[in-house]
Every structure is written in C-alpha cells, then in structure tokens.
Amino acid sequence: MSLLAIEGLSKNFGGVAAVDRVGFDVREGEILGLIGPNGSGKTTVLNMLSGFLPPDAGRVAMREHDITGMRPDRLARLGVLRMFQMTRVFTRTSAFDNLLTAGMARGLAEAEATRRAQSLVEELTLGPVQHLDAGQLSGGQRKLLEFGMCFIEPPLVALLDEPFAAVHPVMREVMAQFIRARHAQGATFLLVSHDMPVVLDLCGRAVCMNAGRVIAAGGVHDVLRNHDVIEAYLGETHGDDEPPTLEVAA
Ligand SMILES: Nc1ncnc2c1ncn2[C@@H]1O[C@H](COP(=O)(O)OP(=O)(O)O)[C@@H](O)[C@H]1O
Ligand SMILES: [Mg+2]
C-alpha cells in the first residue's frame, strides 16, 4: 500500500523545468531510493514533499489525504519529516540536551524524553561525546545526532537527502544500521543517495531521475541495470573524487 502518492509534481526555476511531471509512490514500510545524476531534481522533489518549496503543479497524497503544499511544521506533525532541515542543532548545548530538547519539543514528558535520549545515544555510538557541545562534534557525529533528534519521536516517513555524503565509513555504517533497525520497526524512508553500494544494500526499490523526469522505477537491481539509467550516469561529468559507481554485485 502506498504511504505517499506523488503525481505530476513540477517545479520551474526561471523557465527551466527542474522537476517535470514526476510521479511515484512511496510504499508503507519501504526504503525507496531516489537516485539520478547531479542536477536531476532530487533535492527539489524532497523540498516539495517536505513543504519547503510549493510545487507549480501536481499532487502529493499521504494515505489518500491531500498534503500538497502544506507547510513543513504541519507536515512534521503529520509524520513527514525531512532530516537535516527540520532538526535544529543547538551548537552551544550538549549533544544529550539537544536530544532531550528535541523530544520535549515533540511533546514527550521529560522522563520519557530522557529515557529515549539515553537509548539513542547508545545506539548512535555518541556516548563518549554526549556531554560535549554539539558544535564540537565532527560532521558525521552531528549527522548522527540529527538522526537521533529526528527519531526521538519516530516519523511516518523520513526524507533523507544524501545522508552518507562526506561521512566517515565507520559512522556511515552506524547510520546504515540505524536506518535498517528503524525500517525493521516499520519506518518508511525516501533515501536520496549517490552511493550505489549503500542504495543496493538498503533499498528494495528505486526511482531514477534525469533532467527533472523519472526515467526508471522498480526493483533496485533492475533500475541500476537499466540502459537509460546507465546512460544518464555516464553522461554526467564527475570530479576526480566522485567516480560513477554503478557496478551491481552479482
Ligand atoms: N532555488 C533554485 N533556483 C534556481 N534553480 C535551482 C534552484 N534549486 C535547484 N535549481 C536547479 O534545478 C535543477 C535540479 O536541482 P536539484 O533538485 O538540486 O538536483 P539534485 O538534487 O538532483 O542534484 C538544477 O538544474 C538546479 O540548478
Ligand atoms: Mg541534491
């Protein structure tokens, strides 16, 4: 069953169609990958789904209720949360207190927020740094903290935009494990990522965009082997530090 149904979603920037009649479903409980070369419109889609950008056209429904164009705070209350923008890390407050504050802001009693913060600190391997100001954490630790703040009251669907980018491999694995565990508990994810091994590992299905349009959708292996998808990635210009990684393990 679909949790989010997206139809004809479009956004123009100065006459350029950044997102052009995009449609796909996010099913209840799945981790759906959203892939595509740089500039293909993935972030713009997430911005529209999370209410940060009003669509020019199209419709988004959650469990058959129209949520098109709703503001981010209202969507967050309905359980649609875009990580890394909804969460606010207070840099001069400890990592632990950031978690506590996030929990209380979402309506948890202090005792319950404390209990959940303690368990998230363990799960996210933030124990050794929990009493440091959040501003002193590494980029990866801070992303882990933001995961914790987002999931202290679990959303129905988490929209993740390149969460693994520029994160140390050890923390990347903690993050992947966290996503797997929440997925096992029924959370739904829309995951934008350039990291094909991670997409293959985590996602059952994927949607690939190119130049604002959906060019392939389906099982993740089929999408990554799709001719149009390979063409789209090969046509992309890469920096030396970012080679195309489309190899699909047998
Ligand atoms: N705020 C904006 N103003 C003008 N153009 C934008 C804006 N945001 C994105 N774009 C353009 O829209 C296209 C899609 O961008 P984006 O959604 O960020 O792609 P992706 O996340 O797939 O890399 C790009 O051509 C980008 O330059
Ligand atoms: Mg992007």
Side-chain angles (χ1 to χ4, degrees), residues 37-44 46 82 161-162 192 194:
N38 280 321
S40 57
K42 306 179 299 294
T43 295
T44 305
L46 285 205
R82 177 178 175 156
D161 199 355
E162 309 266 8
V192 171
H194 257 323

